[in-house]
Amino acid sequence: MKLSPSLLSADFGRLAEEIRAVEPVSAYIHFDVMDGHFVPNLTFGPPVVNALRRYTSLPFDIHLMIEHPARYAPRFKVGPEDVITFHVEAGDPSEEAIRVIRGLGCRVGISLRPRTPLSAIEPYLDRVSWVLVMSVEPGFGGQKFMPEALERIRELREMIGGREITIAVDGGIKPGNVRAVVEAGAEVIVAGSAIFGVDDPRAAAEELIRAAHAR
Ligand code: DX5
Ligand code: ZN
């Protein structure tokens, strides 16, 4: 299991320090980019994400919860280890989002809201290398994990078959449910409030990793 801490629950006035706190135990840093249209919340965009490159060498896992991923993706500075994930429900056609993101030289991720059927992303599985399964309605941190996500992860695993696609899961993941999420087939765990909502993010991240493997 690889951890991708979500900065959504971090102190936005100290983002570089928050990243450094979890860096030694993390595989990625998860950025929740929201536009106030696709989701009823606003966070940060390319200037903030790009500025944080100076403070870490971890790959960036950029989750675009925006209406026009194809329009804005090129504004992120990315390399081959980074992932830009767009939503299949966004306004831009998925073919175009995939073409634009791939053209940037990074990995392409696709995500879907909890009530969108898996069949909506099936046509794109040959062209993406990452699927982000939402286990809460996108837009806000600190929501409750939707247990239906577990069955969905298992179904997605089947659907992916032999393709080389990473399954990431995002929303409501805590020490109490992380093992079930990993056992269902998730390789990357995104967690916000479980890590940055507490006094010691590093210790919280370590606890989550321990819980994922605990019997
Ligand atoms: C929700 C975001 C998540 C969020 C998860 O729209 O995509 O990445 O930060 O936060 P928790 O872990 O608190 O549910
Ligand atoms: Zn996210």
Side-chain angles (χ1 to χ4, degrees):
M1 166 275 216
K2 291 179 173 175
L3 198 60
S4 187
S6 161
L7 293 175
L8 189 59
S9 292
D11 178 348
F12 279 15
R14 300 169 43 252
L15 286 173
E17 287 165 63
E18 298 274 59
I19 291 172
R20 279 185 178 145
V22 296
E23 182 168 42
V25 293
S26 302
Y28 301 89
I29 294 291
H30 185 88
F31 293 87
D32 288 302
V33 176
M34 304 187 190
D35 66 353
H37 292 277
F38 183 73
V39 288
N41 196 8
L42 277 166
T43 52
F44 42 70
V48 172
V49 176
N50 294 340
L52 288 164
R53 287 283 180 193
R54 297 178 49 201
Y55 301 96
T56 181
S57 53
L58 284 179
F60 282 14
D61 156 20
I62 302 171
H63 180 191
L64 299 181
M65 284 163 277
I66 67 176
E67 208 40 46
H68 294 294
R71 188 185 302 167
Y72 293 104
R75 301 195 191 182
F76 293 93
K77 291 188 194 138
V78 287
E81 305 304 319
D82 301 311
V83 192
I84 296 183
T85 299
F86 71 97
H87 269 262
V88 70
E89 308 91 350
D92 293 338
S94 295
E95 286 81 2
E96 192 190 348
I98 290 169
R99 186 179 52 77
V100 169
I101 296 170
R102 172 168 297 163
L104 302 174
C106 65
R107 299 170 73 187
V108 183
I110 191 166
S111 185
L112 72 176
R113 295 177 181 277
R115 284 177 198 84
T116 301
L118 279 180
S119 58
I121 63 164
E122 196 169 13
Y124 309 109
L125 291 180
D126 285 330
R127 283 168 282 165
V128 301
S129 56
W130 177 284
V131 176
L132 180 66
V133 175
M134 293 306 300
S135 41
V136 297
E137 197 55 53
F140 299 91
Q143 303 179 75
K144 202 177 159 309
F145 180 80
M146 300 168 76
E148 311 88 271
L150 295 175
E151 185 51 35
R152 216 164 146 81
I153 298 163
R154 285 190 280 268
E155 275 175 40
L156 177 62
R157 192 37 81 212
E158 286 274 296
M159 193 181 265
I160 285 174
R163 298 178 182 96
E164 271 196 30
I165 296 180
T166 301
I167 299 181
V169 182
D170 184 6
I173 302 179
K174 308 280 172 193
N177 58 19
V178 66
R179 186 164 164 85
V181 178
V182 170
E183 280 181 348
E187 296 158 66
V188 173
I189 295 294
V190 178
S193 52
I195 294 175
F196 292 111
V198 302
D199 283 346
D200 186 344
R202 165 80 180 269
E206 282 170 339
E207 188 190 346
L208 211 48
I209 293 167
R210 256 197 316 276
H213 303 292
R215 301 203 142 262

